[in-house]
Amino acid sequence: MQAALSRAAFFSRAHLCRRARLGDNARMRLPALLFLLALAAPAAAQQQAACPYAAWKSGFKGDARAQATCLLRPVKLYARLGASAPLPGFLDSHVGRRTDIAPATVRAWLAQQGIAEADAGGAVDAPLSRATGRLAAPAARYFVIHDTSYPNFLLEPIPAHINEAGWEFNDFKVRHPAPGGGPKGHVYVNRLGDSVQVRDFGTPGYASKLEKDKPSLTGLFLHVELVQPRNSVPGGGKGNDGLAPEPGFTPAQYDRLALLYVAASVRKGTWLIPAFHAVLDTGYANGHDDPQNFSLSAWSQALEHLHGTLAGRTP
């Protein structure tokens, strides 16, 4: 219990700081000119780029591949979205299709690697969360990728050892002051590739403005937070956290994210539709801007490698 409380305290501070970055501190974050333009035409570019939502299907329009193509547009500075591009190899050939890996195979591999099922989102043969407030209660369909955007080093250089065990934010056992609230989402992944569950993939929990606006959708989305520090954009307003390191994430983080996606998809029986947090928030005031500097190709390669290992084939 103490470990769980420490982990919750660690992430509640990170979550609260992340929520503030495009929320109440929007005036502080955007340069004056951009803020005035935002007042004149609020989120116009993002509204035009929003993925078409289909209430009747509790999700977005198009087949699974079309949805993933829209929901994985690259996230740029100030939550601007890049143009959609063809999905990389593994995602293009698997999203929306039946999984070909048995839960027992994943369980045996986790045991061999010394990874607790809880840290992979929960028991690999348990059902996923279901949408709340709906008679049909459809099971989770989307795998949402976030970054913590914390800690913010402001105008100071990001430490050179953020990818090492000695960096305190890679230690889930370290307690950090938490002014209130608690972590949202399901699983956090540090820069060493270790993960910790704060909510089982079988438990509904919202972590996007889309779900807050449409509460009946809570349960359709599984949320994973990748630890990533930030810097302030010079001249962008006191305390802003617009700049992320490059590269944004480590190979170990992509490997663990691949494991979480595989584990969740095996529980579903079909490969989930991946999405970026910022894209889900498109069109909502004070939306988020994560994940920054995420490499879809690196993640797809990690998925290809893990899938080949689990399927007993040479990657």
Side-chain angles (χ1 to χ4, degrees):
M1 176 62 72
Q2 183 63 39
L5 289 175
S6 296
R7 291 169 175 174
F10 178 100
F11 291 116
S12 58
R13 182 183 178 199
H15 174 74
L16 289 172
C17 292
R18 181 177 63 103
R19 287 186 62 191
R21 69 180 182 271
L22 283 177
D24 296 334
N25 294 329
R27 290 178 180 269
M28 296 173 61
R29 175 164 188 179
L30 293 174
L33 179 57
L34 289 177
F35 181 70
L36 291 175
L37 290 174
L39 288 178
Q46 286 200 30
Q47 287 175 359
Q48 294 174 359
C51 298
Y53 178 75
W56 61 272
K57 65 182 294 186
S58 299
F60 299 89
K61 294 181 180 179
D63 62 19
R65 290 174 64 252
Q67 293 182 58
T69 299
C70 186
L71 292 167
L72 290 175
R73 284 170 293 167
V75 183
K76 300 182 178 182
L77 190 67
Y78 297 136
R80 299 189 188 97
L81 303 179
S84 60
L87 296 174
F90 182 89
L91 294 173
D92 184 64
S93 60
H94 287 79
V95 167
R97 298 185 178 182
R98 297 289 299 175
T99 54
D100 57 352
I101 300 172
T105 300
V106 179
R107 173 168 285 148
W109 187 85
L110 289 172
Q112 183 183 40
Q113 301 299 314
I115 301 172
E117 287 185 56
D119 291 339
V124 295
D125 56 359
L128 294 179
S129 62
R130 291 186 173 273
T132 58
R134 289 177 177 263
L135 293 177
R141 298 171 178 167
Y142 300 94
F143 183 87
V144 187
I145 302 168
H146 304 245
D147 77 52
T148 60
S149 304
Y150 182 83
N152 182 5
F153 290 95
L154 303 175
L155 297 178
E156 296 295 323
I158 292 177
H161 68 292
I162 62 171
N163 299 334
E164 300 174 8
W167 190 50
E168 64 174 323
F169 293 94
N170 284 326
D171 187 351
F172 292 131
K173 296 179 181 179
V174 173
R175 180 185 292 273
H176 294 274
K184 292 189 177 181
H186 292 86
V187 179
Y188 285 71
V189 180
N190 67 17
R191 300 187 69 81
L192 304 177
D194 299 322
S195 56
V196 62
Q197 171 191 281
V198 296
R199 181 178 287 106
D200 189 286
F201 281 154
T203 303
Y206 83 89
S208 70
K209 290 184 177 293
L210 173 67
E211 295 160 284
K212 187 174 182 180
D213 181 53
K214 298 176 171 59
S216 64
L217 298 183
T218 300
L220 288 180
F221 300 84
L222 307 179
H223 299 276
V224 176
E225 293 271 3
L226 304 175
V227 173
Q228 182 192 73
R230 294 288 186 98
N231 272 139
S232 293
V233 178
K238 182 179 179 181
N240 81 83
D241 62 354
L243 290 181
E246 292 191 46
F249 305 98
T250 67
Q253 283 182 301
Y254 288 119
D255 287 343
R256 183 52 59 97
L257 187 67
L259 171 60
L260 294 170
Y261 177 75
V262 168
S265 296
V266 167
R267 289 172 66 169
K268 169 77 171 180
T270 57
W271 296 100
L272 296 169
I273 301 171
F276 290 150
H277 182 197
V279 183
L280 287 186
D281 278 359
T282 298
Y284 289 97
N286 302 324
H288 289 80
D289 69 343
D290 59 306
Q292 291 277 332
N293 298 333
F294 186 93
S295 171
L296 272 180
S297 62
W299 185 43
S300 184
Q301 290 170 15
L303 284 166
E304 188 78 46
H305 179 87
L306 179 59
H307 179 263
T309 299
L310 293 174
R313 298 191 300 268
T314 300

